[in-house]
Amino acid sequence: LVVSLDNKDWATTISSVAATLGNIGPGFGVVGAVGNFSTMSDLSKLVLSICMIVGRLEIYPMLLLLMPTFWKRVNI
């Protein structure tokens, strides 16, 4: 909803959020293969940056599960 405040077309708005949340690369419209996110407002760039971080957080639980030190019992 915050990204839609930039008054871009719906394809640009939805695909920019999907591209950043899924870390899939370019979206459609202004943020397509030959475009970039420079036309977005600072608030939208902040929201899209948070979407990128949230999209990447799913890798950390998998890394923890694969680390043997995570499974060792610690006696305090």
Side-chain angles (χ1 to χ4, degrees):
L1 291 175
V2 174
V3 177
S4 68
L5 295 175
D6 278 347
N7 293 326
K8 305 281 188 212
D9 60 311
W10 66 271
T12 299
T13 302
I14 293 173
S15 68
S16 64
V17 173
T20 55
L21 190 59
N23 294 309
I24 58 170
F28 300 119
V30 176
V31 295
V34 294
N36 56 32
F37 292 90
S38 66
T39 60
M40 303 291 233
S41 69
D42 290 337
L43 179 62
S44 290
K45 288 179 190 175
L46 179 68
V47 169
L48 294 172
S49 296
I50 292 170
C51 284
M52 285 184 192
I53 292 170
V54 169
R56 283 296 199 164
L57 284 179
E58 66 190 17
I59 197 167
Y60 292 121
M62 295 307 295
L63 290 175
L64 278 176
L65 290 174
L66 297 174
M67 293 179 62
T69 56
F70 178 75
W71 294 102
K72 286 184 179 178
R73 180 176 219 110
V74 178
N75 293 327
I76 299 177

